[in-house]
């Protein structure tokens, strides 16, 4: 009995291989309709989705000493070898450039660098000689001067090339003498003027003084 089962299995495997090969390209699931004979052989009566008309006891037992009707599902065939890969498609167009992001916040200011060394001080030039100061005076008077009367005196620097640095004047005499004006006339001349402020005629003098320096 065991030997017979082995024969049946082998026969079924052979039939399955044949049916698979014949339906490898089928797109829809099918059934194998068959008859298993007492000697273990398998007779395929049809391969279809629906039961064929010849799948009946008469076709299974006719002149064969009996048999068993059977069927099994066959959903798909063997998978064929993988085909070669197709060519790589062309590269797609470059997408648009995205919008620029917002500007980041300004970072903190870095520390101040060290101050450079102070350059050397240039040499000091020689001090020029101190000019000698020359004085000169000029007096006008005394003169008899009525009340409100004036007299003047003018003085120049004593030598050429000298310029005044200051000057002055004073009034002298009887009555009420007073200095009315004292001022530089130009770069080397000074003038002074006195007035008689008394109520009667009296003597009046005026002195003009100048201080000059050689340049």
């Amino acid at each position: 009995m065991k030997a017979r089962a082995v024969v049946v299995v082998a026969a079924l495997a052979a039939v399955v291989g044949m049916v698979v090969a014949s339906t490898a390209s089928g797109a829809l699931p099918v059934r194998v309709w068959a008859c298993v004979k007492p000697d273990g052989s398998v007779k395929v009566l049809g391969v279809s989705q629906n039961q064929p008309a010849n799948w009946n006891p008469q076709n299974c037992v006719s002149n064969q000493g009996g048999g068993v009707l059977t069927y099994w599902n066959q959903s798909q065939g063997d998978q064929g070898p993988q085909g070669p890969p197709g060519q790589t498609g062309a590269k797609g167009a470059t997408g648009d450039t995205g919008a620029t992001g917002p500007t980041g916040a300004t970072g903190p200011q870095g520390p101040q660098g060290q101050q450079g060394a102070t350059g050397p001080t240039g040499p000091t030039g020689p001090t020029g000689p101190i000019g000698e100061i020359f004085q000169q005076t000029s007096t006008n008077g005394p003169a008899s001067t009525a009340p409100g009367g004036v007299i003047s005196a003018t003085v120049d620097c004593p030598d050429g090339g000298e310029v005044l640095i200051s000057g002055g004047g004073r009034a002298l005499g009887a009555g009420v003498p007073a200095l009315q004006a004292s001022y530089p006339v130009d770069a080397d001349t000074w003038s002074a003027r006195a007035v008689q402020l008394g109520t009667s005629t009296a003597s009046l003098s005026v002195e003009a003084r100048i201080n000059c320096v050689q340049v």
Side-chain angles (χ1 to χ4, degrees):
M1 188 69 179
K2 183 177 181 181
R4 181 181 177 184
V6 172
V7 172
V8 172
V9 171
L12 287 175
V15 172
V16 169
M18 178 186 67
V19 174
V20 167
S22 65
T23 62
S25 59
L28 297 175
V30 296
R31 286 180 176 179
V32 178
W33 305 87
C35 174
V36 181
K37 300 301 181 67
D39 59 1
S41 62
V42 177
K43 178 181 179 182
V44 177
L45 300 178
V47 179
S48 63
Q49 290 179 280
N50 299 318
Q51 177 181 329
N54 63 344
W55 189 75
N56 54 58
Q58 289 78 11
N59 289 332
C60 188
V61 301
S62 177
N63 301 320
Q64 296 294 331
V68 178
L69 289 172
T70 185
Y71 68 89
W72 61 87
N73 292 332
Q74 174 63 33
S75 61
Q76 65 179 13
D78 294 337
Q79 184 176 359
Q82 183 176 359
Q87 295 181 351
T88 302
K91 183 178 179 180
T94 302
D96 296 336
T97 302
T100 302
T103 303
T106 303
Q109 183 177 358
Q112 184 177 357
Q114 295 180 350
Q115 183 176 357
T118 303
T121 302
T124 302
T127 302
I130 298 175
E132 183 179 357
I133 297 176
F134 301 94
Q135 294 184 343
Q136 188 78 359
T137 61
S138 176
T139 303
N140 185 11
S144 179
T145 307
V150 296
I151 60 174
S152 299
T154 300
V155 64
D156 293 324
C157 290
D159 296 314
E162 295 177 353
V163 295
L164 69 87
I165 57 175
S166 63
R170 64 176 179 167
L172 303 169
V176 184
L179 185 65
Q180 187 183 52
S182 178
Y183 56 92
V185 177
D186 52 34
D188 59 356
T189 305
W190 194 270
S191 181
R193 184 169 64 243
V195 61
Q196 178 58 266
L197 297 180
T199 58
S200 60
T201 299
S203 64
L204 179 65
S205 298
V206 64
E207 179 184 271
R209 181 178 65 255
I210 192 170
N211 298 318
C212 302
V213 66
Q214 184 72 41
V215 293

